[in-house]
């Protein structure tokens, strides 16, 4: 199971730190990361770790967000700075395991609202 938290209402230029608690060892997954879905739009990738390599960030992040892992607590964090109104969305954490088949797990989502 994944439990996301840390969303909220913030003014443009502000910061939020999202957290995702994972019930299993995060290093047993092939990829972990954060996605978001704004109203009327498709879910999109924000930041991911794939195969233990350097993190991948969406182009719109532009150096404002940082994804990190806490291996001791099996947590996935997303530090978001210089937030913009267009960052308003529900943010979901995600993990994927590939063992013969692909298993994808999603957190329940946490709302991020950025006011102008």
């Amino acid at each position: 199971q994944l439990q996301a938290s840390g969303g909220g209402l913030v003014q443009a230029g502000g910061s939020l730190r999202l957290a995702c608690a994972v019930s299993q060892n995060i290093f047993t997954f092939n990829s972990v990361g954060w996605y978001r879905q704004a109203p009327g739009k498709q879910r999109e990738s924000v930041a991911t770790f794939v195969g233990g390599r350097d993190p991948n960030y969406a182009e719109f992040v532009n150096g404002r967000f940082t994804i990190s892992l806490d291996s001791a607590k099996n947590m996935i964090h997303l530090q978001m700075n210089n937030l913009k109104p267009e960052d308003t969305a529900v943010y979901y954490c995600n993990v994927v395991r590939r063992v013969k088949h692909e298993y994808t797990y999603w957190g329940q989502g946490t709302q991020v609202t950025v006011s102008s």
Side-chain angles (χ1 to χ4, degrees), residues 29-42:
F29 296 99
N30 297 91
S31 70
V32 300
W34 289 93
Y35 290 70
R36 72 183 188 183
Q37 187 166 18
K41 295 188 176 181
Q42 290 192 334

Side-chain angles (χ1 to χ4, degrees), residues 21-34:
V22 183
S23 62
Q24 300 178 41
N25 184 336
I26 56 176
F27 292 107
T28 65
F29 296 99
N30 297 91
S31 70
V32 300
W34 289 93

Side-chain angles (χ1 to χ4, degrees), residues 4-54:
S5 61
L9 173 64
V10 64
Q11 288 189 332
S15 298
L16 284 173
R17 181 174 173 83
L18 305 184
C20 178
V22 183
S23 62
Q24 300 178 41
N25 184 336
I26 56 176
F27 292 107
T28 65
F29 296 99
N30 297 91
S31 70
V32 300
W34 289 93
Y35 290 70
R36 72 183 188 183
Q37 187 166 18
K41 295 188 176 181
Q42 290 192 334
R43 193 171 296 189
E44 61 183 351
S45 175
V46 177
T48 57
F49 279 106
V50 179
R53 303 187 186 98
D54 289 340

Side-chain angles (χ1 to χ4, degrees), residues 59-113:
E59 196 171 318
F60 60 77
V61 169
N62 199 22
R64 300 179 297 128
F65 300 174
T66 303
I67 186 173
S68 61
L69 304 179
D70 183 338
S71 57
K73 297 180 180 179
N74 290 320
M75 300 281 291
I76 309 167
H77 292 283
L78 185 68
Q79 177 66 42
M80 304 189 293
N81 299 325
N82 192 20
L83 284 160
K84 304 176 181 180
E86 51 263 42
D87 294 318
T88 295
V90 178
Y91 284 70
Y92 298 90
C93 53
N94 166 276
V95 297
V96 178
R97 178 179 288 130
R98 297 182 184 90
V99 181
K100 292 186 179 180
H101 303 285
E102 183 170 293
Y103 300 90
T104 301
Y105 304 94
W106 294 95
Q108 85 284 9
T110 184
Q111 176 70 47
V112 171
T113 303

